[in-house]
Amino acid sequence: MEQRAAVFDVDGTLVDTNHLHVVTWWEAFRQAGHTVPMHALHRAVGLGSTDLIAHLLGEDRDHAQDAELDAAHKALYGQYFDRLPALPGAGELLRRLHRDGWTVVLATSASGSELGALRRAIDADEAIEATASSDDVQEGKPAPEPVEHALELAGVPAERAVFVGDTVWDMRAGAKAGVGCLGLLCGGIPRADLTEAGAREVYADPADLLARLDGSPLT
């Protein structure tokens, strides 16, 4: 059997962190004197820090504030590292795919201690072959580079890979990389938005995908 890769986003896909990011980014912006609506923050989650700030404040913002905002968010979010909740079925799904012969790779904007906390929450390190983090790429999602790098790590071409994510940024990145995309609703983004952005199929959460695995592109 030819090698196949299952590439996963992490925040909102495997770990229930999107709304923690909303609250901690909101507080970071507030501390810096910016009023940013939480609904706008929610739609921006999944972008890398610099892209998220640019998306919400615009290119004409005070760029010198970017590092301060990023540091404040990391400090606020870091308070949750010891209790990040995995989404239902997350670890079980990765372990099942690993047993079925898939090469499992994570593609995430997280890195360092944040990535370590996420992996501890998932608790399936034995199933994870590699991780493409924000440290490894020049451009984050929706650019295809994170997914392309994950495919390089897996040693698998796009046509033998599936990318699972929860945001429109994930779907766009996967589509640009030529990978079949599956969307999950557990990050809070509507089904129609995920489909429009490139999701071939949409599932409720990792447990739902695991329960319906035999009829999915991950068979």
Side-chain angles (χ1 to χ4, degrees):
M1 182 185 293
E2 289 185 307
Q3 191 176 11
R4 303 172 296 174
V7 181
F8 283 84
D9 170 62
V10 179
D11 282 296
T13 299
L14 297 172
V15 188
D16 193 8
T17 51
N18 281 9
H19 289 87
L20 292 175
H21 279 299
V22 170
V23 171
T24 52
W25 271 117
W26 176 85
E27 177 61 16
F29 280 115
R30 189 199 66 80
Q31 289 178 4
H34 300 286
T35 302
V36 180
M38 288 199 189
H39 71 86
L41 278 162
H42 181 217
R43 305 289 290 197
V45 168
L47 293 171
S49 295
T50 301
D51 291 334
L52 181 145
I53 294 166
H55 182 72
L56 293 165
L57 297 185
E59 292 298 337
D60 59 347
R61 70 192 185 281
D62 177 6
H63 289 252
Q65 221 178 31
D66 286 9
E68 175 189 339
L69 286 164
D70 185 31
H73 166 255
K74 284 180 177 175
L76 291 159
Y77 182 64
Q79 298 175 67
Y80 297 97
F81 279 1
D82 62 348
R83 54 192 188 280
L84 296 179
L87 282 152
E92 294 90 333
L93 175 61
L94 300 193
R95 286 189 287 271
R96 166 69 186 277
L97 291 171
H98 177 67
R99 288 198 303 273
D100 288 352
W102 289 82
T103 298
V104 177
V105 182
L106 306 182
T108 174
S109 59
S111 63
S113 58
E114 179 183 348
L115 179 56
L118 291 165
R119 290 187 64 144
R120 287 193 297 275
I122 299 165
D123 193 24
D125 274 356
E126 69 276 14
I128 299 169
E129 180 70 23
T131 300
S133 78
S134 60
D135 293 335
D136 305 317
V137 298
Q138 295 296 314
E139 285 190 274
K141 306 165 196 170
E145 191 178 351
V147 180
E148 291 170 346
H149 182 57
L151 297 180
E152 291 172 5
L153 293 172
V156 171
E159 60 268 21
R160 293 211 306 274
V162 176
F163 179 45
V164 184
D166 68 297
T167 68
V168 295
W169 319 115
D170 292 327
M171 299 303 102
R172 291 175 185 172
K176 288 175 186 174
V179 177
C181 298
L182 304 182
L184 299 185
L185 298 172
C186 43
I189 301 301
R191 178 185 299 270
D193 291 11
L194 296 173
T195 301
E196 183 180 350
R200 291 185 183 177
E201 297 181 21
V202 178
Y203 300 85
D205 56 17
D208 182 39
L209 176 53
L210 178 60
R212 297 198 279 154
L213 201 61
D214 290 342
S216 79
L218 286 166
T219 47

